[in-house]
Amino acid sequence: MRYFEDFQVGQVHELGSYVVTREEILAFARQYDPQPFHMDEEAGRQSIYGSIIASGWQTAAICHRLLVGSVLEGSASMGSPGLDELRWLRPVRPGDTISARIEVLESTPSRSKPDRGTVKTRMEVRNQQGEVVMTESASVLFRRRPTTT
């Protein structure tokens, strides 16, 4: 079990990687982001991207799943009050392998609720060429480690 105290400033957590398939891009686009350059090959070719690309929201969702599987699952996470910044810097294309990592930027105990603290992180997502495709700054609430008496 990871508690608030287990997250130290400067710590880096590798979250793993994921291959984004054409089929997943199309299915996500049809369901959640039906813009032509996400779901139509010809429209993608005619766009500024030159092909279909994954929705940025899909990229963020994939990376959140990597975060849950690597860090949050089995932790004392209490959820998140939100994101401070989310940037999509390069398109994610069918067949790309994206890899994510987070760095702990701040670790602040709550002044009003002594059972928890906030961990602020910066996520960086790269494609198989090492190019940064997405960054995200977010905060997560974690329970403090129980004291034994």
Side-chain angles (χ1 to χ4, degrees), residues 61-113:
I62 290 167
C63 292
H64 186 74
R65 180 61 183 106
L66 292 173
L67 174 66
V68 169
S70 298
V71 175
L72 300 180
E73 205 167 65
S75 77
S77 170
M78 301 172 77
S80 172
L83 301 174
D84 295 317
E85 176 187 286
L86 176 61
R87 297 280 186 257
W88 297 302
L89 304 170
R90 290 184 169 278
V92 172
R93 301 177 189 283
D96 278 358
T97 300
I98 55 175
S99 301
R101 64 189 293 217
I102 60 166
E103 179 181 357
V104 176
L105 301 178
E106 297 174 19
S107 182
T108 310
S110 173
R111 287 183 288 210
S112 61
K113 297 183 174 122

Side-chain angles (χ1 to χ4, degrees), residues 46-62:
Q46 297 298 322
S47 74
I48 62 172
Y49 309 109
S51 71
I52 64 167
I53 61 169
S55 167
W57 296 112
Q58 181 179 13
T59 302
I62 290 167

Side-chain angles (χ1 to χ4, degrees), residues 20-42 44 51-55 58 92-94:
V20 183
T21 69
R22 177 184 177 281
E23 293 73 25
E24 287 175 312
I25 290 172
L26 296 172
F28 188 94
R30 281 191 294 272
Q31 182 74 27
Y32 300 108
D33 194 357
Q35 297 184 73
F37 50 83
H38 293 319
M39 52 190 281
D40 179 86
E41 298 283 352
E42 184 55 33
S51 71
I52 64 167
I53 61 169
S55 167
Q58 181 179 13
V92 172
R93 301 177 189 283

